[in-house]
Amino acid sequence: MKHLKKQTRLCVYGITFLFLAGWVSAQNLLVKNGTILTVTQGTITNGDVLVLDGIIQKIGQNIQAPDHVRIIDATGKYVIPGIIDSHSHIALSGTNESGETISSEVRMRDVLNAEDPSIYTAITGGVTMTHTMHGSGNPIGGENVVIKTKWGKTAEEMVIDEAFRTLKFALGENPKQANQFESRTSPRYPQSRMGVNAIIRREFLKAKNYMEQWERYEKARRSKKGAKHLIPPRKDLKMEALVAMLKGEMYARCHTYRADETLEFIKLSKEFGFKIICFEHAWEAYKIAKEIAEENIGISIFADNWAYKVEAAEGIAYNAGYCTKQGVLVSINSDSSERIRRLFNDAAKSMKYGGLTADEALKLVTINPAIQLGVEKIVGSLEVGKHGDMAIFNEPPMSAYARCDMTIIEGEVYFDRTQYLKERQEIEKKNKAKEIEKKNKTRGGE
Amino acid sequence: MMSKKSLMGLIILLLGVGFLFSGDDPSQIIAIKGATLVPVTGEDIPGGTIIIKDGLIEDIGIGVTIPPGAKIIDASGLFVYPGMIDSNCTLGLYEIGSVRATIDNRETGDINPQVKAVEALRPESMHIPIARSNGITTALVVPSGGLVSGQSGLIRLSGWTPDEMVIKETVVMHIELPGMGRSRRRSPTQEDQTASKKFVELKELFRKARVYQKQKLAAAKDIQQALPEFDEKLEFMSPVLDGELPVVLSVHSEQDILDAIQFVESEGIKAIFFGVSEGWRVADEIKESGIPVIIGSLYAMPSKWEDGYDVLYRNPAVLHEAGVRFAFSSQSASLAKDLPYHAAKAAAFGLDKREALKGVTLYPAQILGLEDKLGSLERGKIANIVLADGDILELRTTIKHVFIDGKETDLSSVYTELIEKYKKRIQ
């Protein structure tokens, strides 16, 4: 090597290092001999999935393991694409910017908290990706963010930039503070559904005006007459978010319960030409399944968490299955760090209430939320070229007896129940030893 | 000879009388045949028959003689289970969470032995038919709040009035000690103080109640003895003191459970534990005490991160292995229908599947002292029977028929009513 120039030598070292890094990379693995539920391309029994550099390379039977690739024995187990939770509030240091009624300028990406234990809770339930959102305290909340539940990594490493940009909207009891005591002594506008609609309209009208100001400025600047000394309009981050929506760069994800307010919001979106990608909760979607399907808007809903407030009192468990059959793109979400552990159970409920098959039910927490989030090219099903995100279960995932035993994100194992049980055993041993020590000490003291 | 008119009148009269005596006749005999019977006690009976008469299970087995005049239900391909029993719920006491006017399970104040959950029962609650149509036929309705919350009662999930629903008005006295809370910042000593204060309070209440009871007894024997002034709290605590009325003690932490065992033994009362989140730590001690356990909703998060993500899920299996008698509960009204899935979740984390089934049938009946009437398919027991197209603990199973007290019940609910209503919109 000495005869080479210094530069060339460095190149060689660099390439060797990268090669070695790939060689021992944790993003390669071969899942062997499981029942592979691809979601979009059928089910393979005694199937294998090969992941290299975090991407699925091969799916089939009897795949030869390349050298130095970790082998995961999935014999007797069921392998599904990593579960996607289309609506949660995990990994955030805050949920609602409640200091203001309109907070379109805030971004959940700015408050990601990689140390939230709920991320771990999520992976114990097979969840590999979530759309973590602003709350429903404001008619217009903030910009949401999609993350992978890469427990142990930094927040920035979790962010998925490929996802649609989405802005949180909320209708009904929450933004109008119907269930809050304070609203009676110091009410904040809006306190009614008409005010909620009016304030959203107001903001979009302001945004149009803002957009027009900037367009005029840009036009004037491009013209030849003395444009250089023009003062630009003031930049307004609240308005920027709404302009992004008017330009189709960001979509609405709107929290709604009552069928009437859902329909009114669709009208509002047409008034200004912005796109609603999904309605959140939509407990009365079954009443207007026709309209929602026609508008090509998805719904991100619960299986059966209902009756906690008046607008949820007609939220029936048939919602998911029935709307699916009417052609609506339905995902089941958790909106909870408790329910996130059992999204697969919630999806299964649509078999009983709604008559979906097990395969159709599995879509509600895999490919459907992926499509809603704009990431179906990289996740949501097990296909060559997609990310190696998987969850491995001990029983068919739609069974009430199913348990997630392993969660893999981009070819890296983030949750391994076998490992967890080993660690628990060691902890119990240590604890018992400590207890015995304690007892001996106290006895000795007598 | 009768005129045509009188003849018509007579025919109509006879038809009417005949109509009166058909259909809802409680003494009608029903035979369910061709199904796989799951009695819970003993082996499954494939191709079996079960006979219902006068609201009870008259006969069960293979090749059982079907009495003449019996209504026959061909249940081929189906599974027959005993109706499930929820050991802690708020069915009938809760409608819509944010509307206080619809919630009646919680009183104000610390000591309320006088309140009876069943006296606030709303039979029209929309949550009852939903739970019933998922195979739950009996439930213990439980008051909450304070230290002594009140009297829990047992209801059947059918009936137009509270009287028609109530099986037993007062089954247990419900006492709640502080839970473990979710704050990891709370130091253990601070936690223990709160709970141990409550034990002191409870001991004092029991002491006063015993004094009161003694005074009353003395006064009953001797007219010259002073009759104690009526004391509501002490009066209603009385049946608990000698073990006549069992107490359900809601306890969670290891230390609280140990303290509770000591309390129960020193007071000489009959007890059942509820919750026992850390029961797995002291399973042997619980077994030794002979105190059975009602598991709380498994839709709860572990309080202590360091105990592991599955600590509540594996708790029932650990308790069962140590020989502790257990039962499951929904702790809900709006999700009471999920009772079987709590059992299945425990089965996913180590509990034998058949034990899980017992945890929602036989074991609650035993724990609540109603084993002679409920909890399994056996001759002489109440005919609370569920016909399902699969394992009732499974999520995809559809319940086809539910019998309560031998009568077939309506499986419609606000769920089915609303979906039928809106299906019409697209027709």
Side-chain angles (χ1 to χ4, degrees), chain A residues 286-287 291 304 306-309 322 338 341-342 345 349 352-353 399-401 403 415 417 420 424, chain B residues 94 96-98 134 299-300 306-310 313 334 337-338 345 348 391 393-394 397 415 425:
Chain A
Y286 63 94
K287 299 185 181 181
E291 282 86 346
D304 54 11
W306 74 306
Y308 41 94
K309 45 185 175 164
Y322 178 77
E338 189 280 307
R341 310 175 292 174
R342 44 189 184 88
N345 293 148
K349 287 170 175 173
K352 181 196 183 74
Y353 297 101
S399 162
Y401 301 112
R403 182 188 66 226
F415 169 68
R417 184 164 163 84
Y420 161 77
R424 273 239 66 78
Chain B
Y94 169 107
I96 297 172
S98 64
N134 204 29
Y299 292 168
E306 50 277 19
D307 287 343
Y309 79 96
D310 60 348
Y313 292 159
S334 59
K337 70 165 177 62
D338 273 15
K345 187 63 82 181
D391 178 352
L393 302 191
E394 262 296 9
T397 298
Y415 281 179
R425 217 194 142 209

Side-chain angles (χ1 to χ4, degrees), chain B residues 132-384:
Chain B
R132 176 174 73 223
S133 62
N134 204 29
I136 297 136
T137 53
T138 320
L140 188 71
V141 183
V142 177
S144 270
L147 179 61
V148 180
S149 316
Q151 302 164 37
S152 308
L154 196 75
I155 60 168
R156 57 179 63 85
L157 300 200
S158 71
W160 297 91
T161 65
D163 274 353
E164 287 182 8
M165 291 188 73
V166 174
I167 297 173
K168 193 171 180 190
E169 200 175 73
T170 301
V171 178
V172 293
M173 184 71 72
H174 193 82
I175 296 180
E176 287 183 349
L177 286 136
M180 283 164 66
R182 296 234 285 269
S183 168
R184 279 181 291 281
R185 272 169 283 158
R186 195 183 297 173
S187 69
T189 39
Q190 198 182 359
E191 233 281 317
D192 287 342
Q193 272 175 5
T194 327
S196 58
K197 260 196 218 150
K198 288 299 178 185
F199 272 114
V200 169
E201 203 183 321
L202 208 52
K203 282 195 181 103
E204 182 56 16
L205 175 68
F206 272 66
R207 188 194 67 76
K208 285 201 187 124
R210 288 190 198 281
V211 167
Y212 180 79
Q213 199 181 48
K214 258 203 198 129
Q215 288 172 339
K216 280 184 71 190
L217 279 168
K221 287 196 186 122
D222 182 358
I223 199 166
Q224 288 184 354
Q225 289 286 340
L227 184 69
E229 195 74 25
F230 173 74
D231 184 314
E232 182 195 46
K233 313 291 180 190
L234 304 182
E235 185 74 41
F236 283 92
M237 284 305 294
S238 223
V240 169
L241 303 175
D242 302 318
E244 189 192 310
L245 177 64
V247 153
V248 165
L249 274 166
S250 174
V251 276
H252 290 276
S253 77
E254 176 182 359
Q255 192 53 53
D256 285 357
I257 295 169
L258 294 174
D259 287 348
I261 292 173
Q262 228 183 30
F263 174 79
V264 166
E265 281 165 6
S266 65
E267 293 289 336
I269 56 175
K270 187 151 185 264
I272 301 161
F273 285 155
F274 175 80
V276 290
S277 305
E278 285 199 322
W280 57 281
R281 284 189 185 280
V282 286
D284 293 329
E285 285 87 332
I286 300 176
K287 161 68 181 159
E288 274 236 11
S289 72
I291 298 172
V293 150
I294 296 172
I295 307 283
S297 162
L298 292 186
Y299 292 168
M301 290 300 287
S303 328
K304 285 192 193 154
W305 175 252
E306 50 277 19
D307 287 343
Y309 79 96
D310 60 348
V311 62
L312 294 179
Y313 292 159
R314 68 176 194 261
N315 197 20
V318 173
L319 289 166
H320 170 67
E321 209 171 320
V324 176
R325 181 55 45 90
F326 66 94
F328 292 105
S329 68
S330 71
Q331 263 189 289
S332 178
S334 59
L335 283 172
K337 70 165 177 62
D338 273 15
L339 177 68
Y341 315 132
H342 296 278
K345 187 63 82 181
F349 284 83
L351 184 66
D352 174 70
K353 283 181 186 178
R354 274 300 151 119
E355 289 298 318
L357 175 62
K358 286 183 183 166
V360 292
T361 51
L362 184 67
Y363 294 159
Q366 288 174 341
I367 292 172
L368 298 174
L370 295 141
E371 192 186 349
D372 56 336
K373 296 203 182 100
L374 296 165
S376 59
L377 299 178
E378 289 180 272
R379 277 182 205 90
K381 286 203 175 180
I382 293 175
N384 286 358

Side-chain angles (χ1 to χ4, degrees), chain A residues 102-249:
Chain A
I102 302 295
S103 54
S104 43
E105 78 279 18
V106 310
R107 303 183 314 170
M108 305 324 285
R109 187 182 183 139
D110 294 339
V111 292
L112 278 173
N113 174 15
E115 287 166 31
D116 181 2
S118 300
I119 300 170
Y120 179 76
T121 305
I123 57 174
T124 66
V127 174
T128 53
M129 175 187 270
T130 182
H131 180 226
T132 190
M133 307 176 73
H134 189 277
S136 54
N138 290 348
I140 306 180
E143 184 170 350
N144 312 300
V145 66
V146 175
I147 58 168
K148 286 244 188 126
T149 49
K150 292 179 177 172
W151 181 241
K153 299 273 201 298
T154 66
E156 275 309 308
E157 284 173 296
M158 296 188 194
V159 176
I160 298 297
D161 289 306
E162 291 95 323
F164 292 145
R165 286 183 69 193
T166 62
L167 195 64
K168 178 70 177 271
F169 286 78
L171 309 171
E173 290 180 31
N174 289 12
K176 75 174 205 156
Q177 302 184 326
N179 301 312
Q180 284 180 38
F181 239 38
E182 304 87 70
S183 65
R184 298 207 195 114
T185 45
S186 52
R188 150 196 112 158
Y189 173 79
Q191 287 287 302
S192 73
R193 284 183 169 83
M194 36 182 202
V196 169
N197 269 39
I199 204 172
I200 295 172
R201 177 177 294 112
R202 179 190 82 190
E203 291 303 303
F204 275 106
L205 287 170
K206 277 161 67 179
K208 275 178 82 171
N209 175 270
Y210 173 85
M211 204 162 84
E212 200 182 333
Q213 285 179 15
W214 272 93
E215 277 165 8
R216 286 160 65 89
Y217 165 75
E218 299 291 353
K219 194 171 180 192
R221 236 165 55 100
R222 282 193 297 272
S223 80
K224 289 177 183 163
K225 296 184 201 170
K228 288 180 198 86
H229 305 291
L230 270 182
I231 302 170
R234 194 164 62 87
K235 188 131 184 152
D236 182 335
L237 295 180
K238 269 192 175 44
M239 292 293 105
E240 288 292 331
L242 296 175
V243 166
M245 288 201 53
L246 291 172
K247 288 184 176 169
E249 292 160 13

